Amino acid sequence: MSKLFKLKQWLTIEETAKHLSREWREPVSDADVLQLGLDDVLKLSVNFVNPVPAMCGEVVSVEGAVWEIIETDEGTVTELKSIDIGKERYVNFNDSEVKRVKGVYDLIVSHDALSDINKRFQLIVEGPKVKPDINHDGIFVELEGNAYRIHVDIEDIEFIAGTRAHTDKLKERINNGEIVGEEATKLLEQNKKDRKEILLMPCEEHFIFSAFELPEDDSILVVHTSAIDDFLNGQNKEAAPPKATL
């Protein structure tokens, strides 16, 4: 084990693959590391290089999960209000505000995070396109017992009229000649009105949407060196021959 590895708190996916290759003396690829994360045998983390919007929630066991009783025409229905993040753990949001997080957080590989990692894996191995998760509960990370659901600024959502992303895309299509003449003029005028509505929105409403993928420009997947040590130690224990009994 190198001195540098001992000093580092985390490695990139590529660095992790190289380290495992040296330890095992066999080729390990980036795709292998992602698959180990998908299989939940190697803990993946996320380094938010730039601050990103997130809502903090409390992680609870099944006993702390919140249920809501709803009266319908067909009778009483009990609905889970907490979000199931796997391993019999749930997240409760108690009127939490969206704040910004930065630094390294452990990734909870469930819901949209599972789809995101799988998409990256399939891209490397040239596999099939991963379809969006129909149960869009968001991407969750955790730190010191709390879970954080990553949110997105409405300005970055291209399909919402009047947002900065929508405006930039519209102007790009017009500049490329995809939209011309009267249609272009009409769309620009409508976008001008939509843009005013977006600018008048209260600040807190800009972050009402949860993210369905990790922010590409603001984050990078990493692995804690402690998680790599735990993984390798676990593998060594499994490979060790049983002790002889007297």
Side-chain angles (χ1 to χ4, degrees), residues 36-218:
L36 290 171
L38 287 170
D39 293 341
D40 200 27
V41 293
L42 177 63
K43 188 68 177 177
L44 301 179
S45 300
V46 186
N47 181 14
F48 295 108
V49 180
N50 300 310
V52 298
M55 181 179 289
C56 180
E58 179 187 11
V59 179
V60 298
S61 63
V62 64
E63 289 80 10
V66 178
W67 297 81
E68 182 180 18
I69 298 176
I70 302 174
E71 297 294 338
T72 68
D73 294 337
E74 299 179 356
T76 302
V77 177
T78 304
E79 183 178 280
L80 179 65
K81 296 295 291 182
S82 304
I83 297 178
D84 185 354
I85 57 174
K87 298 181 179 179
E88 298 184 349
R89 299 195 305 162
Y90 300 81
V91 177
N92 292 334
F93 292 107
N94 302 315
D95 300 322
S96 301
E97 295 181 2
V98 174
K99 299 180 180 180
R100 292 188 178 272
V101 297
K102 183 180 180 182
V104 181
Y105 290 71
D106 288 336
L107 182 66
I108 298 174
V109 185
S110 65
H111 302 294
D112 290 300
L114 187 64
S115 297
D116 188 315
I117 303 304
N118 195 17
K119 182 170 63 175
R120 295 167 189 249
F121 171 79
Q122 296 297 339
L123 189 62
I124 294 175
V125 300
E126 299 181 351
K129 185 176 180 180
V130 177
K131 297 179 181 179
D133 188 346
I134 57 173
N135 299 316
H136 173 58
D137 284 323
I139 286 187
F140 293 84
V141 296
E142 60 182 329
L143 181 68
E144 298 177 350
N146 288 323
Y148 299 81
R149 182 171 62 192
I150 305 305
H151 282 239
V152 61
D153 190 338
I154 195 173
E155 289 279 24
D156 297 326
I157 303 178
E158 188 178 297
F159 62 81
I160 296 181
T163 63
R164 183 171 53 243
H166 180 87
T167 301
D168 291 344
K169 186 63 177 180
L170 175 61
K171 291 180 178 178
E172 178 186 322
R173 295 185 65 194
I174 292 174
N175 291 334
N176 290 340
E178 298 176 40
I179 306 174
V180 296
E182 186 177 339
E183 182 183 5
T185 302
K186 184 178 179 181
L187 288 174
L188 283 171
E189 285 296 323
Q190 181 59 49
N191 186 76
K192 189 175 181 180
K193 297 177 183 177
D194 295 333
R195 184 72 186 138
K196 287 182 179 179
E197 292 185 11
I198 293 292
L199 293 174
L200 289 173
M201 287 178 61
C203 183
E204 59 271 16
E205 291 185 15
H206 273 242
F207 305 102
I208 59 175
F209 295 103
S210 59
F212 59 87
E213 61 184 5
L214 289 167
E216 186 176 344
D217 295 334
D218 298 312

Side-chain angles (χ1 to χ4, degrees), residues 227-239:
I228 297 174
D229 283 338
D230 290 343
F231 169 69
L232 289 174
N233 290 336
Q235 294 299 305
N236 291 336
K237 287 180 181 179
E238 290 181 10

